[in-house]
Amino acid sequence: MSAENQLVTRVEHSTGATSQTRPTRLPEDLLRDSARRLRIVALIYAAGFLVAELAYAVLDPIAGEAITHFYGWGPPAISIAVAVIVAALTGVRRIPPDSLMNIGLAFEVVAAYGIAFSAYWGIYQGLAHEPAHLTIFGLSFVAPWIMFFTIVCPNEPRRALLAAIAAGSSVPAVLLLTVRYGGTSIALTAEFVVSALLVPYLLIVITAYVGARVVYKLGTAVTRAREMGSYRLAEQLGRGGMGEVWKAEHRMLVRPAAIKLIRPDMMGKDLESQRTLRLRFEREAQATALMHSPHTIDVYDFGVTIDGTFYYVMELLDGWNLQELVRRFGPVPPPRTIHLLRQVCDSLAEAHERGLIHRDIKPANIYVCSQGRRADLVKVLDFGLVKRRYEPASSEPQLTAEHVVGGTPAFIAPEQITGAAVDARTDLYAVGCVAYWLLTGHLVFDAGTSVEMLADHLNTTPVPPSHASELQIPEALEAAILSCLEKDPANRPQSAEALDTLLAAVEPPSPWTPAQATEWWRLHRPTPDAAGPKGPRVQVA
């Protein structure tokens, strides 16, 4: 039995696999979302409080006089200051989301007391016992604040309940304090305490708790739905034509991973389309898993969940694909270009030996990263269009749509356009296009439309890269690239090993050394700030 036939696709039921490890808190990504929303809520609270107090002071002469005393300006000022501090803390990356949400719960309580003190402290100052005055008492802004905070910044139901109780106690507590220390001899009746304080705010707390439980159950349901075998989806890294790529967490191991998946709703409505895409995706996982080159991305696992989502787990890379590398840092010097291209040749050489043709080599599918002590390590991704060399067309289903050319127009070989047989030299044409991009920052044929670009690949002689770049490109390197871009496959290098030999023979003025690579990555190692909150990982076809 061949090694390929020994590969077995494991079908795992996500909910069953995780029954013993259900989360006891909100998923990490939902916690991060809640923490980000906490900043917005705190700023809205501060701005709203400021506007309300200023408007109240202008429209109400008595309030305008009260604001000159500490009991008038103190609670609003303290509340606004606390809100600004909380908003600032949400921007501190060293504080984990869990801790931020605990800060948020404390803020909910403090903010409720700020509202209550601003509304009720000294409200009965100088008044005698007047039951008629008490009858007009109603729910304060504390009630909508509790509801708003609980829904917008979800937390565990138990914590949310305790915070809601503490926040709801603000109005009774402040009224008791103002009766005791606010300069009035008024006495609160039992009827008033029950009807105006206990019952309404008890209902608010119960409603907030129910809302917290609903949000929590939705969050844990999302967590279970995101579990792929032994892995749980943490955050989306990107989305491409073949599916989505997510950062994944293993339930037992600390090794990070990326999961590429295609959901049933992304496969089309008719059964034939779903079958075609499922086969294409499965073959990509199998083809990649069978290869052992250090320059082909590692596949750890693949399977199908109970809802029909096909997935495979691969190593998580920190770095850039070659498209992003050039866009961020400009054209790549020839010595480094040679270093990167030779690693691509190593990956393709193994694939070609196994009879596999990639057919979609392009900068976005070639990743450069730093792993351990190895800097400038290349990984070839996405064998989604892989095809067996010399395999008769009738022996396999067509895994590209009818009348659609397989590949990417900017990096496609002429024989792919005409529908002729493809082989190793087809991938080498694309490698020549990638090399052109690295050295110049331009496409070989930068036409206005895809149709024009395909026509150029068929008929137009490319401009030598030395004419399109300010870099000093060695003649031998330019000759190797132009040989890859020959229209006739017979005039190209006949194998990846042959191209590697041509690249190895190039003698640049100064070679790209491991020390230079290490220093470059020391200065330019990706950080989350380099490409937003999700970082620079772009492992998507």
Side-chain angles (χ1 to χ4, degrees), residues 13 17 73 75 77 92 109 111 148 194 207 239 263 283 293-294 310 315 341 360 399 419 431 466 480 483 486 489 508:
H13 298 266
W73 63 263
V92 179
V109 177
F148 175 72
V194 173
T207 305
R239 189 183 186 96
R263 301 187 187 279
R283 190 170 66 179
S293 168
F310 192 91
E315 60 182 319
L341 293 177
D360 198 23
L399 299 188
V431 172
S466 60
S483 69
E486 288 285 349

Side-chain angles (χ1 to χ4, degrees), residues 33-117:
D33 288 342
S34 294
R36 284 193 289 268
R37 289 196 291 268
L38 175 60
R39 176 187 182 88
I40 299 174
V41 169
L43 292 176
I44 291 175
Y45 176 89
F49 215 135
L50 179 62
V51 171
E53 287 300 315
L54 291 177
Y56 191 47
V58 171
L59 298 176
D60 190 336
I62 298 178
E65 180 182 350
I67 204 170
T68 61
H69 302 284
F70 176 78
Y71 71 82
W73 63 263
I78 294 173
S79 299
I80 292 171
V82 170
V84 171
I85 292 172
V86 170
L89 289 176
T90 60
V92 179
R93 293 186 177 277
R94 292 192 300 271
I95 303 178
D98 235 355
S99 299
L100 280 177
M101 293 314 299
N102 289 334
I103 294 172
L105 293 177
F107 170 60
E108 178 187 2
V109 177
V110 172
Y113 270 85
I115 295 172
F117 267 103

Side-chain angles (χ1 to χ4, degrees), residues 322 325-326 329-337 340 437-441 471:
L322 298 188
L325 183 74
V326 172
F329 305 105
V332 179
R336 190 181 186 191
T337 294
L340 299 178
W437 166 257
L438 288 175
L439 291 170
T440 67
L471 300 176

Side-chain angles (χ1 to χ4, degrees), residues 283 355 386-398 421-422:
R283 190 170 66 179
V386 68
K387 186 180 182 70
R388 299 192 178 284
R389 188 183 349 188
Y390 310 129
E391 193 169 65
S394 60
S395 66
E396 67 167 12
Q398 294 300 311
V422 299

Side-chain angles (χ1 to χ4, degrees), residues 38-391:
L38 175 60
R39 176 187 182 88
I40 299 174
V41 169
L43 292 176
I44 291 175
Y45 176 89
F49 215 135
L50 179 62
V51 171
E53 287 300 315
L54 291 177
Y56 191 47
V58 171
L59 298 176
D60 190 336
I62 298 178
E65 180 182 350
I67 204 170
T68 61
H69 302 284
F70 176 78
Y71 71 82
W73 63 263
I78 294 173
S79 299
I80 292 171
V82 170
V84 171
I85 292 172
V86 170
L89 289 176
T90 60
V92 179
R93 293 186 177 277
R94 292 192 300 271
I95 303 178
D98 235 355
S99 299
L100 280 177
M101 293 314 299
N102 289 334
I103 294 172
L105 293 177
F107 170 60
E108 178 187 2
V109 177
V110 172
Y113 270 85
I115 295 172
F117 267 103
S118 180
Y120 299 125
W121 177 253
I123 191 173
Y124 301 128
Q125 190 171 10
L127 296 178
H129 181 73
E130 297 181 12
H133 185 82
L134 297 179
T135 59
I136 65 174
F137 189 91
L139 286 174
S140 71
F141 283 108
V142 170
W145 165 250
I146 295 174
M147 296 296 301
F148 175 72
F149 188 92
T150 303
I151 300 301
V152 175
C153 298
N155 212 310
E156 294 178 45
R158 181 175 58 84
R159 294 183 182 182
L161 176 62
L162 294 176
I165 292 174
S169 70
S170 60
V171 174
V174 170
L175 280 177
L176 290 174
L177 289 173
T178 195
V179 167
R180 180 66 178 83
Y181 303 105
T184 179
S185 59
I186 194 171
L188 299 178
T189 65
E191 179 184 358
F192 173 80
V193 170
V194 173
S195 62
L197 298 180
L198 295 184
V199 173
Y201 285 96
L202 179 60
L203 292 176
I204 291 297
V205 168
I206 293 174
T207 305
Y209 174 68
V210 172
R213 285 189 62 85
V214 170
V215 173
Y216 175 76
K217 287 184 177 180
L218 288 174
T220 53
V222 168
T223 299
R224 288 193 293 271
R226 288 180 174 178
E227 287 170 343
M228 304 286 167
S230 298
Y231 294 85
R232 187 183 72 83
L233 304 185
E235 63 175 304
Q236 191 177 66
L237 300 177
R239 189 183 186 96
M242 279 294 293
E244 302 171 355
V245 176
W246 290 71
K247 180 181 178 182
E249 300 170 351
H250 195 280
R251 296 203 310 272
M252 302 295 292
L253 304 176
V254 297
R255 178 181 63 187
I259 287 186
K260 186 171 183 178
L261 58 89
I262 181 169
R263 301 187 187 279
D265 58 352
M266 301 173 67
M267 296 183 183
K269 295 182 179 180
D270 60 283
L271 294 178
E272 186 60 29
S273 296
Q274 294 181 10
R275 176 179 174 274
T276 297
L277 283 177
R278 177 74 64 82
L279 287 173
R280 176 178 173 181
F281 205 69
E282 182 175 344
R283 190 170 66 179
E284 176 181 353
Q286 291 175 334
T288 308
L290 283 170
M291 289 184 282
H292 304 290
S293 168
H295 305 298
T296 301
I297 191 167
D298 289 335
V299 171
Y300 302 146
D301 192 11
F302 67 101
V304 183
T305 64
I306 193 171
D307 67 349
T309 299
F310 192 91
Y311 69 92
Y312 74 85
V313 187
M314 55 189 172
E315 60 182 319
L316 181 66
L317 304 176
D318 274 320
W320 293 279
N321 62 37
L322 298 188
Q323 181 173 313
E324 285 294 318
L325 183 74
V326 172
R327 286 179 176 173
R328 287 176 179 272
F329 305 105
V332 179
R336 190 181 186 191
T337 294
I338 294 171
H339 173 71
L340 299 178
L341 293 177
R342 293 191 66 188
Q343 296 179 71
V344 175
C345 288
D346 184 89
S347 173
L348 291 179
E350 182 187 17
H352 296 163
E353 286 177 359
R354 295 179 178 274
L356 302 175
I357 311 303
H358 191 289
R359 296 202 304 162
D360 198 23
I361 291 293
K362 58 185 177 181
N365 282 341
I366 302 172
Y367 211 88
V368 59
C369 59
S370 178
Q371 283 189 349
R373 300 183 64 186
R374 299 191 64 178
D376 253 14
L377 180 67
V378 165
K379 295 282 187 176
V380 177
L381 317 179
D382 191 34
F383 281 77
L385 290 178
V386 68
K387 186 180 182 70
R388 299 192 178 284
R389 188 183 349 188
Y390 310 129
E391 193 169 65

